[in-house]
Amino acid sequence: MLPNDGSRTNHALRASMRRFDDEEELDLVVVGCGAGGAVLTQRLARKGWKVAALEAGPFWEPDRDWVSDEAGSHPLYWTEPRVIGGGDPVPLGSNNSGRGVGGSTVHFAGYTPRLHPSDFQTYTADGVGADWPITYQELRPYYEALEAELPVAGQHWPWGDPHGYPHSPHPVSGLGMIFQRGCQRLGIDVRVGPVAITNGRFGNRPHCIYRGFCLQGCKVNAKASTLITHVPDALAHGAEIRSGSMVRSIEIDDRGRASGVVYFRDGVERRQRARAVAVAGYAIETPRLLLNSACRQFPDGVGNDHDLVGRYVMVQGAAQTAGRFPEEVRMYKAPPPEVSTEAFYETDPRADYRRGYSVQCIGPLPITWAEHVVAEGHWGHVLREYLCDYVHWATLGVLCEFLPLPGNRVTLDEERDRHGIPVARFDYTQCDNDRALMRAGSQKMAEILDAAGAQDTVTIARYAHLVGGARMGAGPETGVVDRNLRSFAVPNLYVTDGSVLPTQGAANPALTIMALAARCADHLAGGAASA
C-alpha cells in the first residue's frame, strides 16, 4: 500500500478515502487509531463494515513531519495536560503515550514479543496478579497472524510457547555483541529479536539502515507501525480515518446502548452516530473517556457500576544500566532492542518476589543518554565528559512485571484541557514485590555488563509502557469488559487497547494489543454487536 516513487506516504489513497457524514449511522466508530484501533478498523473494513476511526492527533506524513532529531520528535507523544500523583508518580508525555494516526506504534521500538502462557493465570500459578478470562492458546493464532503481517524478524524463541518468526534475525551490532558476550560468560541464554522490522526489502518498504531513529518514527518506513501497515489497508477497503478529532464522550440512548460519540474537530462540537462504539485510547485516555461519559444511566461513568474503571493501571519497571567499554560501541546503530533474554521471566521459587523480568539491549540517543548521566547526579564539566564519551557506552534495559493494584488508578482532575474536558489524574505507588523485582533486574544487568568487561556502570530507575484501567474479567465484579472486550454494562460498547490487560508480563505490549483487537474483530464480525 506504500508508493514506489521514493516517497513514503500514499497520498492518492488518503485523497480518495471514503468520508462519512456525522448523521450517517456507521456500523462502528472507533476512538483512537493506534495499535488496537487501527487493527480493529482494518479487520472490519475488510468485512465490509462502515467504520471510521476518530483520532485526536494528526495524520502523519513521514517525509514532512518526522525529523532526525530527538527533541524535534516530541510531538509524536501525547503532550496534552495530565496530573500525576501517588507514592511513585509516573512521568507522562514521553515514550509511554502516542498521539496521531498510528499511535504509540509510530514511536515504539518495534519490539514484538508474545506474552507467556503463564501470564494468563498468574493468580492461580503464583498467587499474585489476576487470571485472564481467556487462555494463551485462544490468542496464539492471532499472534501468528500479526507476526506475518508486520512482519517480525528474529531467531527461534525458546521461552514461553516456543515458536519461530517469518523473517530471519537482523545482524548484531556492537551493543548486541557486548550483551551476548556478557550473557555467554554467565551462562544466560539470549536471542536476537523479535522486531517488527523487516530483514530485507518488503514490498515497497526498504531495508533498515540501522541509523537508530526507531523511536522517532522511522523515517525510512522499515519499521512496522499501523500507520504504514494496517491503516493503508483499512483505507483501501473503505474505512475512514478522521484525524484531529478529540472525542469528549460516548452517547448512551434510553435503552442503555451506545449510539455514537461527541467529539471536537476544528473547534466545533460534533456527533457521530454509530451502531456500536469501540474505545482504543489506551490506559490513560480510555478510562478518562469512560469517566467523562457519565450520564443518567451511568452517573459514575460508563461501565463503572463496580468502581473498576481506571483501576489496576500498570507500568513496567524499566531500569536501565549502562557500561563503559574501551572500544567504540556506538550503541544507537541497531534496532533498540535487538538482543534480549527472557531467562528470568517466570517466578523463581528461590527469590523473595513473584513473577519476573526480561533484559533487552537499549540504544539511547544522546539526549536520553544525557538523562542517564544527570540522574546519577553529574553536571557541568563531568556531564560534558560523559557526553563526549557517548560512543564507548553500552546500555541494557530491564522490563519488570509490576503487579496490578487497585489503588493505582486514573480519575478525573478538576483541571480541564483546551476543549473544556476534565483531564486525567494518574496516581501510582509501587508495592514491595515491585521494588524487589526492580532490584533484582538492575543487579542482573550490572552482572552482565561486568562479565562483558565494562570499566564502569551507571543505573537509572524508570518506567515503560502503560496498560490496565479497563481490564478484562470473568464477570462485572472483576472486570470492565468480558473475554471478548465487550463492556459488561453496555452490550454494543467495546474496549480494544492495552487498558483491558489484567496483567502485563515482562514483555512489550504492542503485539498483544494488536492480537486482542484482531480477536475482537472476529467476535464482532460474527454478529455480536447486534445482540
Side-chain angles (χ1 to χ4, degrees):
M1 292 297 172
L2 296 177
N4 59 4
D5 60 1
S7 64
R8 296 170 179 81
T9 302
N10 192 327
H11 294 284
L13 193 58
R14 293 191 188 182
S16 62
M17 176 174 66
R18 187 176 183 181
R19 288 173 171 80
F20 299 101
D21 187 85
D22 282 343
E23 294 302 316
E24 185 174 357
E25 186 180 55
L26 305 181
D27 293 321
L28 178 72
V29 62
V30 182
V31 181
C33 195
V39 169
L40 181 70
T41 300
Q42 179 251 4
R43 291 297 204 265
L44 292 175
R46 276 181 165 255
K47 298 289 186 182
W49 282 41
K50 291 193 298 183
V51 54
L54 274 56
E55 165 58 46
F59 214 141
W60 300 113
E61 292 190 23
D63 287 316
R64 181 195 65 193
D65 299 322
W66 297 350
V67 294
S68 300
D69 179 293
E70 281 185 270
S73 301
H74 204 65
L76 296 178
Y77 307 136
W78 185 284
T79 55
E80 297 282 331
R82 291 161 168 169
V83 178
I84 59 173
D88 302 287
V90 177
L92 301 174
S94 58
N95 68 335
N96 52 19
S97 57
R99 177 177 176 270
V101 177
S104 58
T105 66
V106 165
H107 63 73
F108 83 145
Y111 195 56
T112 46
R114 301 181 188 180
L115 291 179
H116 287 200
S118 67
D119 287 315
F120 294 73
Q121 51 176 359
T122 65
Y123 187 77
T124 296
D126 297 311
V128 295
D131 291 347
W132 292 41
I134 62 172
T135 64
Y136 171 86
Q137 286 71 25
E138 290 177 277
L139 204 56
R140 180 167 55 190
Y142 297 95
Y143 277 139
E144 293 170 345
L146 268 300
E147 287 166 351
E149 292 169 27
L150 293 172
V152 177
Q155 285 185 294
H156 185 271
W157 208 247
W159 300 288
D161 176 26
H163 58 278
Y165 291 104
H167 280 210
S168 58
H170 286 264
V172 177
S173 72
L175 171 60
M177 291 179 183
I178 286 173
F179 187 26
Q180 289 175 322
R181 184 170 73 216
C183 287
Q184 183 179 25
R185 290 173 179 172
L186 294 174
I188 301 171
D189 201 4
V190 296
R191 289 293 186 277
V192 181
V195 290
I197 302 172
T198 61
N199 188 6
R201 191 175 182 89
F202 184 71
N204 290 329
R205 284 169 55 193
H207 193 290
C208 178
I209 58 174
Y210 306 119
R211 71 193 192 113
F213 277 87
C214 305
L215 306 186
Q216 285 71 35
C218 184
K219 200 175 178 74
V220 300
N221 276 349
K223 185 190 75 174
S225 71
T226 55
L227 177 69
I228 65 167
T229 56
H230 294 78
V231 166
D233 192 60
L235 297 184
H237 288 86
E240 178 185 356
I241 308 297
R242 201 175 300 169
S243 59
S245 300
M246 178 66 191
V247 176
R248 186 197 74 188
S249 61
I250 302 161
E251 294 211 303
I252 305 295
D253 65 19
D254 292 338
R255 300 176 300 160
R257 297 177 62 87
S259 59
V261 297
V262 179
Y263 70 102
F264 293 96
R265 194 178 197 206
D266 299 327
V268 177
E269 183 177 290
R270 304 168 184 267
R271 285 174 169 77
Q272 176 62 61
R273 298 176 61 225
R275 194 165 56 87
V277 174
V279 182
Y282 213 32
I284 302 296
E285 294 303 316
T286 285
R288 178 192 179 200
L289 176 59
L290 295 174
L291 295 171
N292 272 322
S293 300
C295 57
R296 178 177 57 80
Q297 298 95 324
F298 301 102
D300 298 319
V302 169
N304 198 29
D305 297 352
H306 297 273
D307 192 24
L308 288 174
V309 171
R311 292 191 181 275
Y312 300 101
V313 176
M314 295 165 277
V315 294
Q316 288 168 324
Q320 294 183 356
T321 299
R324 203 271 179 190
F325 291 84
E327 69 271 25
E328 288 192 1
V329 178
R330 298 189 184 275
M331 57 182 165
Y332 61 93
K333 295 291 289 182
E338 56 169 335
V339 181
S340 59
T341 179
E342 292 183 351
F344 310 100
Y345 195 105
E346 305 287 352
T347 293
D348 181 349
R350 300 165 298 179
D352 61 348
Y353 51 81
R354 292 293 176 268
R355 304 305 295 160
Y357 58 88
S358 59
V359 185
Q360 308 166 352
C361 285
I362 302 291
L365 292 173
I367 292 177
T368 307
W369 163 244
E371 293 171 354
H372 281 234
V373 181
V374 171
E376 278 275 299
H378 301 301
W379 195 251
H381 175 72
V382 176
L383 172 60
R384 187 173 184 275
E385 290 297 311
Y386 268 103
L387 296 185
C388 290
D389 203 37
Y390 169 73
V391 297
H392 287 274
W393 286 81
T395 303
L396 306 181
V398 68
L399 283 186
C400 301
E401 182 183 344
F402 282 5
L403 297 176
L405 303 171
N408 291 336
R409 66 181 306 190
V410 171
T411 54
L412 298 180
D413 194 78
E414 293 181 354
E415 183 179 346
R416 292 176 181 262
D417 67 9
R418 56 195 167 94
H419 302 290
I421 308 171
V423 307
R425 176 187 173 89
F426 177 35
D427 289 284
Y428 187 83
T429 302
Q430 296 177 26
C431 65
D432 290 342
N433 198 81
D434 299 340
R435 300 183 197 283
L437 258 178
M438 191 79 121
R439 285 194 298 272
S442 300
Q443 181 179 346
K444 188 59 64 180
M445 288 191 293
E447 291 174 3
I448 293 169
L449 289 169
D450 287 341
Q455 299 168 316
D456 183 18
T457 59
V458 297
T459 297
I460 62 167
R462 57 187 292 281
Y463 299 112
H465 309 129
L466 281 162
V467 294
R471 68 178 185 173
M472 279 186 277
E477 295 81 12
T478 59
V480 177
V481 297
D482 67 12
R483 65 195 313 275
N484 294 312
L485 311 189
R486 176 158 64 176
S487 164
F488 284 112
V490 181
N492 62 339
L493 173 64
Y494 289 78
V495 179
T496 59
D497 58 30
S499 65
V500 302
L501 271 61
T503 60
Q504 59 181 338
N508 308 52
L511 186 72
T512 296
I513 295 168
M514 293 180 183
L516 288 168
R519 182 175 179 274
C520 178
D522 280 353
H523 165 76
L524 281 165
S530 301

